[in-house]
Amino acid sequence: MNSSAPTPADDADLARARPVIAAVREGAPLIHCLTATVSMQLVADGLLAAGARPMMTETLDEAPVVTTLADALLVNLGTLSTDGMAGIPATVEVARCDSRPWVLDPTAIGIAPVRTPLAQKLLGARPAVVRGNASEVMALVGAGTGGRGADSTAAPGSAEQAAREVVRRTGGTVAVSGEVDLVQSPHAQVRLERGSVLLPRVTGTGCLLGALTAACTAVTDDSFAAALAATTWVNLAGELAESRATGPGSFRMQLLDALDEIGRCP
């Protein structure tokens, strides 16, 4: 990721993402987030700053029903609970049966004995987008043992073959995050070298990217365009936030403001 000055209005990466960003703001999609408890606040605040709307529940009794109200679903395995283990498969099944787009974020899979087989099983439900770091994407197809917790020990480039395998199995898109982001679909591939070194120093920015990816899938049928727009949006917001921040704490606050600002007409 590169530290950078604020994004100019004629930035080519922004121009490519702008239609999806505008559609999120216009449509204000409701995103059902089954996400890590440590990141719920940032995910909710970030979706609202971007123009989307969050809701969060993971129990078997409520999550499948609640997701019928949503425009898209995020499944993040970051702090997998007993409730989540029971509620996630049923909720994904409802989304799948209703043709509602959903995003799988297989956080910290690898040697974890519960979330890893769950993530691999969920892959069969054909998420519109899989979003993770290189170690997670490789572990998803049995090509590695994962990283250190939520941190990758592999470079995004090393996950390219695994990403192609995920695409083959799902027919959708994979977004591999890292110093150089890789977005791969059956028909296209883009590498994006943008962002801020402060993004990985704030808990939940990856979870937020997953949620924003879900918001983007809610406003376009093109999962590649959705994943690329969300990745670009967070990276450019990170660049803008870093230019205004004095450290990780102020960066978190500035990131929310930047999510609201990126892509608006000057």
Side-chain angles (χ1 to χ4, degrees):
M1 296 184 186
N2 292 334
S3 175
S4 176
T7 307
D10 61 352
D11 184 284
D13 294 324
L14 174 58
R16 182 171 51 191
R18 192 189 294 273
V20 177
I21 293 173
V24 169
R25 289 181 173 138
E26 180 179 355
L30 180 63
I31 311 305
H32 186 189
C33 302
L34 281 65
T35 193
T37 55
V38 296
S39 64
M40 283 182 173
Q41 184 75 55
L42 183 62
V43 168
D45 287 345
L47 283 176
L48 288 169
R53 296 171 294 150
M55 64 178 179
M56 300 178 182
T57 185
E58 65 178 11
T59 65
L60 178 59
D61 290 339
E62 287 199 338
V65 176
V66 168
T67 207
T68 63
L69 303 174
D71 296 300
L73 170 68
L74 166 69
V75 174
N76 179 301
L77 305 181
T79 52
L80 186 63
S81 67
T82 302
D83 282 338
M85 286 172 54
I88 286 172
T91 305
V92 167
E93 181 62 16
V94 168
R96 188 188 65 81
C97 289
D98 290 349
S99 299
R100 183 169 286 103
W102 73 281
V103 172
L104 174 62
D105 192 335
T107 306
I109 67 166
I111 64 169
V114 176
R115 75 183 68 195
T116 303
L118 175 59
Q120 292 169 342
K121 179 179 179 181
L122 290 172
L123 196 63
R126 299 172 67 88
V129 180
V130 172
R131 191 230 68 84
N133 63 39
S135 292
E136 292 160 351
V137 171
M138 293 169 69
L140 194 58
V141 295
T145 57
R148 297 186 65 193
D151 296 328
S152 181
T153 55
S158 65
E160 189 168 346
Q161 184 174 347
R164 287 197 297 266
E165 176 61 16
V166 172
V167 168
R168 187 190 70 79
R169 295 187 192 183
T170 65
T173 296
V174 179
V176 185
S177 58
E179 291 185 0
V180 179
D181 297 308
L182 171 68
V183 183
Q184 172 88 51
S185 78
H187 310 295
Q189 182 190 85
V190 168
R191 287 178 171 83
L192 190 67
E193 192 171 359
R194 302 294 298 261
S196 166
V197 294
L198 291 176
L199 278 166
R201 296 187 63 192
V202 175
T203 297
T205 55
C207 301
L208 172 56
L209 175 54
L212 197 59
T213 302
C216 291
T217 67
V219 299
T220 176
D221 293 331
D222 186 339
S223 65
F224 179 80
L228 183 56
T231 301
T232 302
W233 198 347
V234 170
N235 279 336
L236 298 188
E239 292 176 3
L240 183 57
E242 184 181 342
S243 74
R244 298 169 173 173
T246 57
S250 57
F251 176 81
R252 185 185 190 280
M253 178 184 68
Q254 294 291 349
L255 181 64
L256 296 175
D257 288 347
L259 286 169
D260 173 70
E261 185 174 339
I262 290 294
R264 294 194 184 277
C265 293

